[in-house]
Amino acid sequence: MATTAAPRPALTGRPSIGRPFLALPAVLFLLAFFVLPLLDNGLRSVVPADGQGLTASRYVQVLTDPFYLDSILQTVLLSGVVTLICALIGYPVAYYLVRHAGRLSSLIIFLLIAPLLTSIIMRTYGWQVLFARRGLINTWLVQDLGLIERPLRVLDTPGLVVASLVHVLVPFMVLSIAAVLQGVDRRLEESAQLLGASPWRTFLSVTLPLSLDGIGTGAILVFMVANGSFVTLVLLGGGLKTLPLLIYQQFNTTRDFGLASAMSTVLLAVALVCLILQLRLVRRSGA
């Protein structure tokens, strides 16, 4: 005697009533530690010193004073240069990690993540130990090898600041690109080569366009972190006056919280504008 299967309950497509409450802890956390501090920061930036009324004078000062405009430009340029260098360094590493590393992939990932386990202050002091006037590099070049007569002046230069930020942020770029490259169908590349495309042409026409999502994600991560970095600039100098460094000085030296809040809001706006431009650029490229 044939048995009939029990009818399945119909799928109405309506979400469960209790599911929205699962996001309640995350929403409360973001409200308490992200939204409310931003609102408080914005309020501080428009309240004058006497506490009477509202004023936009601080924003006018930041957006019209050549000194602050130059600091905004330096912030964007520094973040852009660091992002570009991380992409140029990170893509070959990610490609090798996914396509050729094999058993070495775990070791490479560990070497990428290991610097992130160390405090950024300790890493920055490490650069000082290496490139100080009597540091390890100058000692080897002058005393041990005799290649140069005078110690190299590397500290307090923009190049060392860029190198330090790249050292910190390049793992984000590598891991972002590697995650996308791992999902690229190898049969597409094989089909292109069977149709007569060279390996370089296959990479430019197939692999690179399909991995733009990873480049875009890595660029956003690196740019946003570099955009708010100030510890490296405080410890290594470099002669750069970026907006995060000025905000740090306003909070800790001059104690002008209103102006510091206004600069913080401007920095957030600049970061959001650059983020939107990056997203549009990546989407126009086909990702």
Side-chain angles (χ1 to χ4, degrees):
M1 183 176 179
T3 59
T4 58
R8 297 181 179 179
L11 298 177
T12 61
R14 296 178 181 177
S16 174
I17 296 178
R19 287 180 182 175
F21 291 98
L22 297 177
L24 186 59
V27 172
L28 293 177
F29 181 85
L30 290 175
L31 285 174
F33 297 101
F34 184 73
V35 177
L36 292 181
L38 283 179
L39 293 177
D40 179 69
N41 185 76
L43 184 61
R44 286 174 180 268
S45 65
V46 295
V47 174
D50 56 7
Q52 302 295 325
L54 300 176
T55 179
S57 59
R58 299 187 181 99
Y59 288 100
V60 174
Q61 179 181 355
V62 173
L63 296 176
T64 58
D65 193 312
F67 176 77
Y68 293 110
L69 291 176
D70 184 63
S71 68
I72 295 174
L73 179 60
Q74 288 190 33
T75 303
V76 175
L77 287 178
L78 177 63
S79 304
V81 169
V82 170
T83 303
L84 179 61
I85 295 175
C86 285
L88 295 176
I89 295 176
Y91 197 99
V93 176
Y95 189 87
Y96 178 82
L97 175 64
V98 173
R99 299 297 173 83
H100 304 289
R103 296 180 179 179
L104 295 176
S105 59
S106 299
L107 176 61
I108 295 175
I109 292 176
F110 171 76
L111 294 176
L112 285 171
I113 298 177
L116 301 178
L117 304 178
T118 308
S119 168
I120 186 173
I121 298 177
M122 297 303 296
R123 290 198 299 268
T124 306
Y125 276 124
W127 286 96
Q128 290 185 337
V129 171
L130 285 175
F131 292 101
R133 184 174 180 83
R134 297 184 179 181
L136 294 177
I137 301 299
N138 279 322
T139 300
W140 289 339
L141 293 177
V142 177
Q143 297 180 5
D144 299 340
L145 301 178
L147 297 178
I148 57 177
E149 296 180 357
R150 299 178 180 177
L152 298 175
R153 183 182 176 273
V154 182
L155 287 181
D156 199 27
T157 60
L160 187 62
V161 172
V162 172
S164 178
L165 289 175
V166 169
H167 172 244
V168 174
L169 300 177
V170 75
F172 295 103
M173 182 68 72
V174 173
L175 296 177
S176 299
I177 297 174
V180 175
L181 277 176
Q182 208 159 15
V184 174
D185 193 346
R186 298 291 297 272
R187 292 175 295 181
L188 297 174
E189 299 174 344
E190 295 173 357
S191 299
Q193 293 180 359
L194 288 175
L195 292 174
S198 63
W200 182 246
R201 181 66 178 176
T202 301
F203 171 77
L204 293 178
S205 302
V206 179
T207 309
L208 183 60
L210 292 176
S211 60
L212 286 178
D213 253 349
I215 299 175
T217 303
I220 290 171
L221 288 173
V222 172
F223 187 92
M224 297 299 285
V225 177
N227 194 63
S229 298
F230 70 92
V231 175
T232 303
L233 294 170
V234 171
L235 297 179
L236 295 181
L240 298 174
K241 291 294 182 182
T242 61
L243 209 52
L245 181 61
L246 294 181
I247 295 171
Y248 170 80
Q249 293 174 348
Q250 290 293 330
F251 272 115
N252 290 275
T253 305
T254 62
R255 313 293 290 180
D256 190 345
F257 298 132
L259 183 57
S261 299
M263 288 191 290
S264 301
T265 305
V266 171
L267 178 64
L268 177 61
V270 171
L272 290 176
V273 170
C274 294
L275 176 61
I276 293 172
L277 293 176
Q278 289 181 37
L279 288 174
R280 289 187 175 182
L281 179 63
V282 172
R283 287 172 181 171
R284 286 182 180 179
S285 302

